[in-house]
Amino acid sequence: MATLTLGAADLVRRRGLRQMRSVALALLVLAAVIYVATLHRAGGWAYLNAAAEAAMVGALADWFAVTALFRRPLGLPIPHTAIVPTRKDSLAESLEQFVTENFLSEEVVAEKMRTAQVSRRAGEWLADGNHAERIVAEGARTVGAALPKLGDDDVSAFVRGSLLPRFVKEPLSPIAGHFVQSVVEDGAHHALLDLLMVEAYDWLANNRELLADVIGPRAPRWSPQWVDRIVVDRIHREALAWLADVRDNQVHPARRAVDRLLAQLADDLQHDPDTMERFEAWKARMLTHPDMGNSLTAVWDAMRTALIGAIEDPNSALRLRAIKTLQDLGHRLQNDETMRTKVDDRAAEAVGYVVRTYGTEIVSVISDTIERWDGREAAARIELHVGRDLQFIRINGTVVGALVGLTIHTLSQLL
């Protein structure tokens, strides 16, 4: 046997191979001893002698057949022996073709994936809080190790070299219009309008003098100052009253006007060429501004710092939420038949795609690996895995040979 690096499992296989070889050899020796002991003896001994003779023939013939698979019997250059060492490459190709046609076909693998209930098993595994926590912990460790390595220079180069130029070329006006339309339809802008009204009222209430500075220079020169003060006070009071009315009245005409304005803007951003062109021009100016790259890099740096802090804290809301999300997903995979079917179908499609696209490369590992072995090593490895079972051929040959020899001798005596 060629010199091999054997693992624990291989050592067990080699011990089993040697044991079965010893059993087969012991039966051959036993048959030879019986043959010699009963030679030229009459009576019932002749039957036993014939059985022993046939047993030796069967044992030797099967020993030759088994040995010829892996090496040349007795080192003799007999044709069609040492089959594995001399034909390992063609055997590897045949094995590769057999596996491809019967096991690694797209239909077989996809059907196996569908019936394996992968989604249900994954759901049961994820529903366990310990498993979900371990996934989040491992993911946090990986992300936590990767984030600090993304330096500002790398992020800045990506933003300036790839991200911003792509956004400059990509038409965003329809997207912005659709977003504004969704905001208006959902009334999501009302909270922002409420905030603006509150802040505007508070600012105007505390900045009466600024209003006077704006309106005062526009008063007629002949107007007395006390008249100007009365006018400013009246404008200030009316403006505060109007802001308060808009702030407190959710159906104020001004609010409805804002809704109509935003709705029209959303439609123009999606369908009006002039508005779309102006938006794209404004977008290009904003994105190509020299400070835009630095601003986005600063935003990323702040986000990265916050993410690292949240990831490193086992009790952070981010990690607890991630664990809860994984557990919820596990429960859904257990209880939602429709979702399980979709997941299993997608998994089957993915595996089928991998087999269809890369199946040949995957199976080629068989032939590539065997081709790298020399002939003796290939024979030694294969014999290590199947040689123990092949010894039963020798044992059966010995036993069957003895029975056939006994039968033939009996028939000869009867005839």
Side-chain angles (χ1 to χ4, degrees):
M1 182 178 291
T3 302
L4 296 176
T5 302
L6 302 180
D10 290 332
L11 291 175
V12 173
R13 294 189 186 100
R14 185 171 66 175
R15 185 163 55 250
L17 173 59
R18 288 176 175 175
Q19 290 174 351
M20 294 310 299
R21 278 179 175 172
S22 299
V23 172
L25 179 60
L27 288 177
L28 174 60
V29 171
L30 176 61
V33 170
I34 295 174
Y35 174 77
V36 173
T38 59
L39 189 62
H40 305 310
R41 300 185 66 174
W45 297 107
Y47 289 89
L48 189 57
N49 180 264
E53 181 180 9
M56 288 190 296
V57 172
L60 290 173
D62 288 335
W63 165 82
F64 182 91
V66 171
T67 303
L69 288 172
F70 306 106
R71 64 187 64 83
R72 298 191 183 279
L74 301 178
L76 300 175
I78 303 173
H80 304 294
T81 58
I83 295 174
V84 171
T86 57
R87 300 189 59 195
K88 66 178 181 66
D89 292 346
S90 61
L91 291 174
E93 292 175 1
S94 298
L95 178 60
E96 178 181 319
Q97 184 178 0
F98 175 78
V99 172
T100 301
E101 294 177 353
N102 296 278
F103 296 97
L104 205 62
S105 68
E106 180 180 355
E107 295 77 12
V108 172
V109 174
E111 182 60 28
K112 183 63 176 178
M113 179 62 69
R114 287 191 180 93
T115 59
Q117 295 186 330
V118 174
S119 59
R120 182 187 296 276
R121 296 177 183 178
E124 293 173 353
W125 194 83
L126 285 174
D128 188 324
N130 294 329
H131 294 157
E133 185 175 356
R134 189 170 71 181
I135 291 177
V136 172
E138 292 297 330
R141 186 178 296 109
T142 302
V143 175
L147 283 178
K149 296 180 181 179
L150 293 176
D152 291 343
D153 294 339
D154 298 327
V155 175
S156 178
F158 170 74
V159 169
R160 296 177 185 276
S162 300
L163 187 63
L164 291 180
R166 178 60 184 271
F167 280 140
V168 170
K169 295 179 181 179
E170 190 73 20
L172 298 181
S173 177
I175 299 175
H178 182 72
F179 172 75
V180 174
Q181 180 181 353
S182 299
V183 168
V184 173
E185 291 175 352
D186 295 339
H189 64 294
H190 291 162
L192 177 60
L193 186 59
D194 292 339
L195 177 62
L196 289 176
M197 290 299 101
V198 170
E199 293 298 324
Y201 181 89
D202 293 342
W203 181 87
L204 187 59
N206 297 319
N207 290 274
R208 187 263 181 202
E209 292 76 10
L210 184 59
L211 180 64
D213 293 339
V214 173
I215 297 177
R218 289 171 173 75
R221 293 182 180 180
W222 48 265
S223 175
Q225 292 186 356
W226 62 272
V227 174
D228 294 343
R229 287 194 296 271
I230 293 174
V231 172
V232 169
D233 289 340
R234 179 61 182 270
I235 293 175
H236 186 249
R237 288 194 302 272
E238 292 296 331
L240 286 176
W242 184 82
L243 289 173
D245 192 17
V246 175
R247 179 195 63 191
D248 300 332
N249 184 2
Q250 295 297 319
V251 293
H252 194 280
R255 288 178 176 267
R256 302 283 76 80
V258 171
D259 291 345
R260 291 191 297 272
L261 173 64
L262 292 177
Q264 184 61 50
L265 175 62
D267 184 73
D268 290 344
L269 285 172
Q270 297 179 78
H271 305 106
D272 182 59
D274 292 338
T275 303
M276 297 172 68
E277 183 179 356
R278 289 196 299 271
F279 178 87
E280 295 298 334
W282 171 81
K283 177 203 70 177
R285 289 196 303 272
M286 291 291 295
L287 295 180
T288 56
H289 192 279
D291 292 335
M292 178 59 71
N294 295 333
S295 299
L296 292 179
T297 303
V299 171
W300 159 250
D301 189 60
M303 291 177 58
R304 179 178 58 186
T305 302
L307 279 174
I308 292 175
I311 287 172
E312 292 178 348
D313 183 6
N315 297 317
S316 67
L318 177 63
R319 290 183 63 162
L320 294 177
R321 180 61 181 171
I323 294 172
K324 181 66 166 54
T325 300
L326 287 177
Q327 287 182 286
D328 292 343
L329 175 60
H331 290 304
R332 286 194 62 191
L333 288 174
Q334 286 181 277
N335 303 317
D336 191 336
E337 180 67 28
T338 302
M339 183 178 183
R340 283 203 311 272
T341 301
K342 289 182 179 180
V343 171
D344 288 337
D345 288 343
R346 297 298 178 272
E349 292 174 3
V351 173
Y353 171 80
V354 171
V355 171
R356 182 175 63 254
T357 307
Y358 305 105
T360 303
E361 289 79 0
I362 294 172
V363 180
S364 66
V365 172
I366 297 175
S367 58
D368 292 344
T369 301
I370 295 179
E371 286 174 1
R372 287 197 298 268
W373 297 344
D374 61 34
R376 296 178 63 189
E377 181 183 5
R381 289 183 180 275
I382 295 174
E383 185 179 14
L384 196 62
H385 283 77
V386 302
R388 181 179 183 276
D389 294 328
L390 291 178
Q391 300 310 307
F392 284 101
I393 296 178
R394 297 174 57 187
I395 295 171
N396 292 335
T398 304
V399 175
V400 172
L403 295 174
V404 171
L406 178 60
T407 302
I408 293 175
H409 184 76
T410 301
L411 291 175
S412 298
Q413 295 299 314
L414 291 174
L415 296 175

PDB file of all heavy atoms in Angstrom, residues 355-374:
ATOM      1  N   VAL A 355     -26.486  24.272  -9.377  1.00  0.00           N
ATOM      2  CA  VAL A 355     -26.164  22.996 -10.031  1.00  0.00           C
ATOM      3  C   VAL A 355     -26.106  23.173 -11.542  1.00  0.00           C
ATOM      4  O   VAL A 355     -25.206  22.662 -12.210  1.00  0.00           O
ATOM      5  CB  VAL A 355     -27.204  21.929  -9.641  1.00  0.00           C
ATOM      6  CG1 VAL A 355     -27.014  20.668 -10.481  1.00  0.00           C
ATOM      7  CG2 VAL A 355     -27.090  21.596  -8.160  1.00  0.00           C
ATOM      8  N   ARG A 356     -27.080  23.922 -12.081  1.00  0.00           N
ATOM      9  CA  ARG A 356     -27.127  24.120 -13.535  1.00  0.00           C
ATOM     10  C   ARG A 356     -25.921  24.908 -14.027  1.00  0.00           C
ATOM     11  O   ARG A 356     -25.363  24.607 -15.093  1.00  0.00           O
ATOM     12  CB  ARG A 356     -28.414  24.852 -13.901  1.00  0.00           C
ATOM     13  CG  ARG A 356     -28.580  25.075 -15.400  1.00  0.00           C
ATOM     14  CD  ARG A 356     -29.931  25.691 -15.716  1.00  0.00           C
ATOM     15  NE  ARG A 356     -30.101  27.007 -15.140  1.00  0.00           N
ATOM     16  CZ  ARG A 356     -30.857  27.301 -14.109  1.00  0.00           C
ATOM     17  NH1 ARG A 356     -31.516  26.344 -13.483  1.00  0.00           N
ATOM     18  NH2 ARG A 356     -30.973  28.549 -13.648  1.00  0.00           N
ATOM     19  N   THR A 357     -25.500  25.893 -13.255  1.00  0.00           N
ATOM     20  CA  THR A 357     -24.429  26.781 -13.700  1.00  0.00           C
ATOM     21  C   THR A 357     -23.048  26.255 -13.342  1.00  0.00           C
ATOM     22  O   THR A 357     -22.107  26.348 -14.140  1.00  0.00           O
ATOM     23  CB  THR A 357     -24.614  28.182 -13.075  1.00  0.00           C
ATOM     24  OG1 THR A 357     -25.952  28.640 -13.344  1.00  0.00           O
ATOM     25  CG2 THR A 357     -23.632  29.162 -13.664  1.00  0.00           C
ATOM     26  N   TYR A 358     -22.927  25.698 -12.129  1.00  0.00           N
ATOM     27  CA  TYR A 358     -21.600  25.310 -11.653  1.00  0.00           C
ATOM     28  C   TYR A 358     -21.468  23.815 -11.372  1.00  0.00           C
ATOM     29  O   TYR A 358     -20.472  23.386 -10.799  1.00  0.00           O
ATOM     30  CB  TYR A 358     -21.264  26.085 -10.370  1.00  0.00           C
ATOM     31  CG  TYR A 358     -21.360  27.574 -10.527  1.00  0.00           C
ATOM     32  CD1 TYR A 358     -22.442  28.282  -9.986  1.00  0.00           C
ATOM     33  CD2 TYR A 358     -20.393  28.292 -11.223  1.00  0.00           C
ATOM     34  CE1 TYR A 358     -22.545  29.656 -10.132  1.00  0.00           C
ATOM     35  CE2 TYR A 358     -20.485  29.661 -11.369  1.00  0.00           C
ATOM     36  CZ  TYR A 358     -21.566  30.339 -10.820  1.00  0.00           C
ATOM     37  OH  TYR A 358     -21.653  31.701 -10.969  1.00  0.00           O
ATOM     38  N   GLY A 359     -22.495  23.023 -11.774  1.00  0.00           N
ATOM     39  CA  GLY A 359     -22.458  21.595 -11.470  1.00  0.00           C
ATOM     40  C   GLY A 359     -21.235  20.909 -12.041  1.00  0.00           C
ATOM     41  O   GLY A 359     -20.593  20.080 -11.382  1.00  0.00           O
ATOM     42  N   THR A 360     -20.888  21.247 -13.284  1.00  0.00           N
ATOM     43  CA  THR A 360     -19.732  20.610 -13.910  1.00  0.00           C
ATOM     44  C   THR A 360     -18.458  20.914 -13.139  1.00  0.00           C
ATOM     45  O   THR A 360     -17.624  20.020 -12.911  1.00  0.00           O
ATOM     46  CB  THR A 360     -19.583  21.102 -15.360  1.00  0.00           C
ATOM     47  OG1 THR A 360     -20.786  20.839 -16.073  1.00  0.00           O
ATOM     48  CG2 THR A 360     -18.419  20.395 -16.049  1.00  0.00           C
ATOM     49  N   GLU A 361     -18.301  22.173 -12.721  1.00  0.00           N
ATOM     50  CA  GLU A 361     -17.108  22.535 -11.957  1.00  0.00           C
ATOM     51  C   GLU A 361     -17.088  21.855 -10.592  1.00  0.00           C
ATOM     52  O   GLU A 361     -16.024  21.450 -10.110  1.00  0.00           O
ATOM     53  CB  GLU A 361     -17.041  24.056 -11.765  1.00  0.00           C
ATOM     54  CG  GLU A 361     -16.710  24.831 -13.028  1.00  0.00           C
ATOM     55  CD  GLU A 361     -17.897  25.001 -13.948  1.00  0.00           C
ATOM     56  OE1 GLU A 361     -18.986  24.511 -13.583  1.00  0.00           O
ATOM     57  OE2 GLU A 361     -17.746  25.601 -15.022  1.00  0.00           O
ATOM     58  N   ILE A 362     -18.280  21.704  -9.983  1.00  0.00           N
ATOM     59  CA  ILE A 362     -18.340  21.058  -8.667  1.00  0.00           C
ATOM     60  C   ILE A 362     -17.924  19.597  -8.761  1.00  0.00           C
ATOM     61  O   ILE A 362     -17.087  19.107  -7.995  1.00  0.00           O
ATOM     62  CB  ILE A 362     -19.753  21.192  -8.080  1.00  0.00           C
ATOM     63  CG1 ILE A 362     -20.080  22.663  -7.783  1.00  0.00           C
ATOM     64  CG2 ILE A 362     -19.878  20.361  -6.799  1.00  0.00           C
ATOM     65  CD1 ILE A 362     -21.516  22.897  -7.375  1.00  0.00           C
ATOM     66  N   VAL A 363     -18.507  18.884  -9.722  1.00  0.00           N
ATOM     67  CA  VAL A 363     -18.217  17.462  -9.847  1.00  0.00           C
ATOM     68  C   VAL A 363     -16.798  17.222 -10.345  1.00  0.00           C
ATOM     69  O   VAL A 363     -16.202  16.175 -10.083  1.00  0.00           O
ATOM     70  CB  VAL A 363     -19.243  16.789 -10.784  1.00  0.00           C
ATOM     71  CG1 VAL A 363     -18.971  15.314 -10.924  1.00  0.00           C
ATOM     72  CG2 VAL A 363     -20.648  16.994 -10.243  1.00  0.00           C
ATOM     73  N   SER A 364     -16.233  18.188 -11.080  1.00  0.00           N
ATOM     74  CA  SER A 364     -14.877  18.007 -11.594  1.00  0.00           C
ATOM     75  C   SER A 364     -13.853  17.876 -10.478  1.00  0.00           C
ATOM     76  O   SER A 364     -12.714  17.470 -10.723  1.00  0.00           O
ATOM     77  CB  SER A 364     -14.498  19.180 -12.502  1.00  0.00           C
ATOM     78  OG  SER A 364     -14.418  20.391 -11.765  1.00  0.00           O
ATOM     79  N   VAL A 365     -14.263  18.212  -9.250  1.00  0.00           N
ATOM     80  CA  VAL A 365     -13.362  18.018  -8.111  1.00  0.00           C
ATOM     81  C   VAL A 365     -12.964  16.541  -8.010  1.00  0.00           C
ATOM     82  O   VAL A 365     -11.833  16.210  -7.637  1.00  0.00           O
ATOM     83  CB  VAL A 365     -14.041  18.487  -6.805  1.00  0.00           C
ATOM     84  CG1 VAL A 365     -13.203  18.116  -5.594  1.00  0.00           C
ATOM     85  CG2 VAL A 365     -14.268  19.987  -6.850  1.00  0.00           C
ATOM     86  N   ILE A 366     -13.890  15.641  -8.363  1.00  0.00           N
ATOM     87  CA  ILE A 366     -13.602  14.202  -8.278  1.00  0.00           C
ATOM     88  C   ILE A 366     -12.444  13.842  -9.193  1.00  0.00           C
ATOM     89  O   ILE A 366     -11.424  13.286  -8.760  1.00  0.00           O
ATOM     90  CB  ILE A 366     -14.849  13.382  -8.640  1.00  0.00           C
ATOM     91  CG1 ILE A 366     -15.974  13.653  -7.641  1.00  0.00           C
ATOM     92  CG2 ILE A 366     -14.525  11.892  -8.679  1.00  0.00           C
ATOM     93  CD1 ILE A 366     -17.281  12.983  -8.002  1.00  0.00           C
ATOM     94  N   SER A 367     -12.586  14.166 -10.495  1.00  0.00           N
ATOM     95  CA  SER A 367     -11.535  13.791 -11.441  1.00  0.00           C
ATOM     96  C   SER A 367     -10.250  14.578 -11.196  1.00  0.00           C
ATOM     97  O   SER A 367      -9.154  14.019 -11.306  1.00  0.00           O
ATOM     98  CB  SER A 367     -12.022  14.015 -12.877  1.00  0.00           C
ATOM     99  OG  SER A 367     -12.392  15.367 -13.071  1.00  0.00           O
ATOM    100  N   ASP A 368     -10.385  15.869 -10.860  1.00  0.00           N
ATOM    101  CA  ASP A 368      -9.177  16.667 -10.619  1.00  0.00           C
ATOM    102  C   ASP A 368      -8.381  16.117  -9.448  1.00  0.00           C
ATOM    103  O   ASP A 368      -7.146  16.057  -9.489  1.00  0.00           O
ATOM    104  CB  ASP A 368      -9.556  18.124 -10.350  1.00  0.00           C
ATOM    105  CG  ASP A 368     -10.126  18.804 -11.581  1.00  0.00           C
ATOM    106  OD1 ASP A 368      -9.940  18.266 -12.684  1.00  0.00           O
ATOM    107  OD2 ASP A 368     -10.770  19.856 -11.425  1.00  0.00           O
ATOM    108  N   THR A 369      -9.084  15.718  -8.381  1.00  0.00           N
ATOM    109  CA  THR A 369      -8.393  15.198  -7.204  1.00  0.00           C
ATOM    110  C   THR A 369      -7.719  13.859  -7.500  1.00  0.00           C
ATOM    111  O   THR A 369      -6.546  13.640  -7.164  1.00  0.00           O
ATOM    112  CB  THR A 369      -9.381  15.033  -6.039  1.00  0.00           C
ATOM    113  OG1 THR A 369      -9.971  16.293  -5.741  1.00  0.00           O
ATOM    114  CG2 THR A 369      -8.668  14.510  -4.797  1.00  0.00           C
ATOM    115  N   ILE A 370      -8.454  12.960  -8.166  1.00  0.00           N
ATOM    116  CA  ILE A 370      -7.891  11.635  -8.457  1.00  0.00           C
ATOM    117  C   ILE A 370      -6.742  11.739  -9.452  1.00  0.00           C
ATOM    118  O   ILE A 370      -5.750  11.012  -9.349  1.00  0.00           O
ATOM    119  CB  ILE A 370      -8.997  10.699  -8.976  1.00  0.00           C
ATOM    120  CG1 ILE A 370     -10.035  10.449  -7.870  1.00  0.00           C
ATOM    121  CG2 ILE A 370      -8.419   9.374  -9.451  1.00  0.00           C
ATOM    122  CD1 ILE A 370     -11.187   9.563  -8.281  1.00  0.00           C
ATOM    123  N   GLU A 371      -6.857  12.667 -10.416  1.00  0.00           N
ATOM    124  CA  GLU A 371      -5.778  12.825 -11.384  1.00  0.00           C
ATOM    125  C   GLU A 371      -4.495  13.306 -10.724  1.00  0.00           C
ATOM    126  O   GLU A 371      -3.398  13.025 -11.221  1.00  0.00           O
ATOM    127  CB  GLU A 371      -6.213  13.804 -12.479  1.00  0.00           C
ATOM    128  CG  GLU A 371      -7.221  13.210 -13.457  1.00  0.00           C
ATOM    129  CD  GLU A 371      -7.741  14.239 -14.436  1.00  0.00           C
ATOM    130  OE1 GLU A 371      -7.291  15.403 -14.343  1.00  0.00           O
ATOM    131  OE2 GLU A 371      -8.598  13.892 -15.265  1.00  0.00           O
ATOM    132  N   ARG A 372      -4.610  14.039  -9.609  1.00  0.00           N
ATOM    133  CA  ARG A 372      -3.405  14.493  -8.915  1.00  0.00           C
ATOM    134  C   ARG A 372      -2.718  13.369  -8.147  1.00  0.00           C
ATOM    135  O   ARG A 372      -1.550  13.494  -7.793  1.00  0.00           O
ATOM    136  CB  ARG A 372      -3.757  15.641  -7.959  1.00  0.00           C
ATOM    137  CG  ARG A 372      -4.062  16.942  -8.661  1.00  0.00           C
ATOM    138  CD  ARG A 372      -3.993  18.112  -7.688  1.00  0.00           C
ATOM    139  NE  ARG A 372      -4.984  17.977  -6.631  1.00  0.00           N
ATOM    140  CZ  ARG A 372      -6.201  18.494  -6.688  1.00  0.00           C
ATOM    141  NH1 ARG A 372      -6.585  19.159  -7.760  1.00  0.00           N
ATOM    142  NH2 ARG A 372      -7.053  18.343  -5.692  1.00  0.00           N
ATOM    143  N   TRP A 373      -3.454  12.316  -7.820  1.00  0.00           N
ATOM    144  CA  TRP A 373      -2.837  11.175  -7.143  1.00  0.00           C
ATOM    145  C   TRP A 373      -2.001  10.385  -8.148  1.00  0.00           C
ATOM    146  O   TRP A 373      -2.342  10.296  -9.335  1.00  0.00           O
ATOM    147  CB  TRP A 373      -3.905  10.241  -6.575  1.00  0.00           C
ATOM    148  CG  TRP A 373      -4.773  10.855  -5.517  1.00  0.00           C
ATOM    149  CD1 TRP A 373      -4.546  11.993  -4.818  1.00  0.00           C
ATOM    150  CD2 TRP A 373      -6.033  10.344  -5.055  1.00  0.00           C
ATOM    151  NE1 TRP A 373      -5.571  12.236  -3.940  1.00  0.00           N
ATOM    152  CE2 TRP A 373      -6.501  11.227  -4.066  1.00  0.00           C
ATOM    153  CE3 TRP A 373      -6.794   9.230  -5.371  1.00  0.00           C
ATOM    154  CZ2 TRP A 373      -7.693  11.029  -3.386  1.00  0.00           C
ATOM    155  CZ3 TRP A 373      -7.982   9.021  -4.712  1.00  0.00           C
ATOM    156  CH2 TRP A 373      -8.432   9.915  -3.726  1.00  0.00           C
ATOM    157  N   ASP A 374      -0.930   9.745  -7.644  1.00  0.00           N
ATOM    158  CA  ASP A 374      -0.283   8.783  -8.521  1.00  0.00           C
ATOM    159  C   ASP A 374      -1.072   7.467  -8.440  1.00  0.00           C
ATOM    160  O   ASP A 374      -1.967   7.310  -7.611  1.00  0.00           O
ATOM    161  CB  ASP A 374       1.196   8.587  -8.139  1.00  0.00           C
ATOM    162  CG  ASP A 374       1.382   8.052  -6.729  1.00  0.00           C
ATOM    163  OD1 ASP A 374       0.532   7.242  -6.257  1.00  0.00           O
ATOM    164  OD2 ASP A 374       2.378   8.410  -6.097  1.00  0.00           O
TER     165      ASP A 374
END
